Amino acid sequence: MSGSYAEACAHVAGLPAIVSIAPITLPSPGRGIDLHVRVSAPITGDALPVIVFSHGNGQSLHAYGPLADYWAAHGFVVSSRHIWIRGCSL
């Protein structure tokens, strides 16, 4: 779930409340390593636009959480992915 800080900021700014769920694990048998994603979205709305955000750069799945929460508070469903490269030990 989204943290109380994100919810408080959204409330103060008059933005809709959001929810963030992580990690969501997607099996990836051909890749050898499952894909882990974080999904953030407004708690209300339908037919919302989607942003698929893959930040890379050796950051964690939560590194860009505030940015994903910002987009979600502005009406987007955001799927943040962190892709580990096989054999890379970042």
Side-chain angles (χ1 to χ4, degrees), residues 3-89:
S4 59
Y5 177 75
E7 290 173 355
C9 289
H11 178 71
V12 168
L15 297 171
I18 63 167
V19 62
S20 294
I21 302 170
I24 298 172
T25 303
L26 304 174
S28 182
R31 187 169 175 259
I33 298 174
D34 291 340
L35 184 62
H36 300 278
V37 298
R38 177 182 191 264
V39 175
S40 301
I43 61 170
T44 61
D46 57 5
L48 299 171
V50 175
I51 296 173
V52 177
F53 181 63
S54 180
H55 54 78
N57 199 26
Q59 299 294 319
S60 78
L61 179 65
H62 304 285
Y64 289 89
L67 179 59
D69 290 346
Y70 174 84
W71 285 332
H74 286 82
F76 292 87
V77 174
V78 183
S79 172
S80 302
R81 302 186 296 161
H82 178 63
I83 299 176
W84 287 99
I85 300 171
R86 191 179 307 163
C88 181
S89 58

